Amino acid sequence: MGSGEDTGAGVAGGGGGGGAGGVVRGAVLKALVVVGGVLLLRRLRRSTTRWDHARAVVDALSGEKFSREQARKDPDNYFNLRMLTCPATEMVDGSRVLYFEQAFWRSPEKPFRQRFYMVKPCPKDMKCDVELSSYAIRDVEEYKNFCDRPKDQRPQPEEVIADIAEHLTTIHLSRCERGKRCLYKGSTPPEGFPNSWSGATYCTSDLSIHKNGEVHIWDKGFDDDGNQVWGTKAGPYEFKPAPKSNYDDMFSPLNFSAPLTLEKKIESSFAIDDQ
């Protein structure tokens, strides 16, 4: 009796175990499907969109950067320049407009180059991630030290849009491959863009944005025969994020105003706008 009950219980238990096993397997399968769906959704949410790339470039370009280290190592070819960039406004289509200026380190209040940058995703039919276009400014005097001023003392967004003048250049940036130092890099088309400064007929630009916050810019001007007439020949300017000031830098010769002879010499190595 007891044995029969045990056997019956065993048989019933065996049959019930099979049913339970099926239920468990079904539950596990459903759980796997749900988990897989969640993971896929998270992956899709984490995937970088075209606008994510544009925002990343805006963030990387923004801020104060210097070519101090490069000027210290190679003073014959590079000057200690200050590059300052900050958001200015946003267009209706979502494009970000940045104000950009460059000046000698000791005279930041006198920028020799001022631009608007417009940043947006590349057109879908192009093999690039971000389109970076530069534009002239209608009244550059109104924008000097734009980023250093309180927001209520700057030209307002609607004024910025109205002051975007002629298109100058466009660089198409692509995300760098894994393992590279850079995040994005790109250049103008080989034929460049029209430019008449210092005997040039066209100019080209190369730009790379690095993981450590550096921005490398190489602008060059060429005449009709393809001869380079302005811009550095040794390589791009390497702008690094503003370092914290220290005692050693206080007495560096790079931190004193460039003499007039140097400002004249710059014409052969770096383009200064006639503004």
Side-chain angles (χ1 to χ4, degrees):
M1 180 92 176
S3 175
E5 289 176 353
D6 289 342
T7 304
V11 172
V23 171
V24 171
R25 283 193 296 273
V28 170
L29 182 59
K30 288 181 180 179
L32 289 174
V33 171
V34 171
V35 172
V38 171
L39 291 175
L40 178 60
L41 183 59
R42 286 180 179 177
R43 179 175 294 180
L44 289 174
R45 285 177 177 172
R46 284 201 302 263
S47 62
T48 306
T49 68
R50 296 166 61 243
W51 284 104
D52 286 334
H53 285 298
R55 283 189 286 270
V57 169
V58 168
D59 291 342
L61 290 174
S62 298
E64 188 180 37
K65 304 176 191 291
F66 294 89
S67 59
R68 176 183 301 179
E69 184 176 323
Q70 196 176 28
R72 181 181 289 117
K73 292 179 179 178
D74 189 0
D76 290 334
N77 289 299
Y78 301 97
F79 297 92
N80 183 14
L81 303 178
R82 178 203 195 212
M83 167 183 162
L84 185 62
T85 311
C86 65
T89 191
E90 184 173 328
M91 305 298 283
V92 175
D93 66 354
S95 301
R96 303 293 184 88
V97 179
L98 304 176
Y99 170 76
F100 160 90
E101 69 180 22
Q102 288 180 339
F104 287 105
W105 184 88
R106 288 293 296 178
S107 53
E109 74 283 359
K110 299 177 181 179
F112 58 77
R113 172 175 284 187
Q114 296 171 261
R115 296 281 185 266
F116 282 135
Y117 281 155
M118 191 174 296
V119 186
K120 62 182 179 180
C122 280
K124 291 183 178 180
D125 60 343
M126 294 189 66
K127 293 182 178 179
C128 58
D129 295 305
V130 180
E131 183 176 282
L132 175 65
S133 297
S134 64
Y135 292 83
I137 301 174
R138 293 193 191 283
D139 187 355
V140 292
E141 290 296 325
E142 289 291 323
Y143 287 85
K144 283 185 176 180
N145 309 123
F146 176 92
C147 303
D148 293 320
R149 295 187 239 163
K151 289 187 177 181
D152 61 352
Q153 296 180 21
R154 303 174 179 176
Q156 296 305 297
E158 59 275 12
E159 297 176 85
V160 171
I161 294 174
D163 286 333
I164 298 175
E166 68 270 22
H167 170 260
L168 300 173
T169 63
T170 292
I171 296 175
H172 293 110
L173 297 166
S174 297
R175 182 68 189 261
C176 296
E177 298 176 0
R178 283 188 177 182
K180 300 288 187 180
R181 287 181 57 214
C182 60
L183 286 174
Y184 296 90
K185 65 177 180 179
S187 59
T188 53
E191 65 275 15
F193 289 89
N195 183 282
S196 59
W197 192 83
S198 192
T201 55
Y202 69 96
C203 67
T204 62
S205 293
D206 298 283
L207 175 70
S208 61
I209 296 170
H210 292 249
K211 297 175 183 177
N212 60 359
E214 292 183 24
V215 174
H216 295 188
I217 303 175
W218 198 358
D219 296 326
K220 293 169 285 186
F222 300 88
D223 62 19
D224 283 328
D225 297 323
N227 300 309
Q228 186 176 340
V229 294
W230 60 256
T232 60
K233 296 183 178 180
Y237 261 86
E238 299 175 359
F239 291 96
K240 299 187 177 184
K244 294 181 180 179
S245 60
N246 57 59
Y247 184 83
D248 291 336
D249 284 334
M250 288 174 60
F251 300 101
S252 169
L254 294 172
N255 291 343
F256 293 90
S257 301
L260 293 176
T261 53
L262 280 183
E263 294 193 12
K264 182 67 178 176
K265 179 183 175 185
I266 202 173
E267 294 183 3
S268 64
S269 62
F270 200 88
I272 301 179
D273 295 333
D274 186 13
Q275 298 172 346

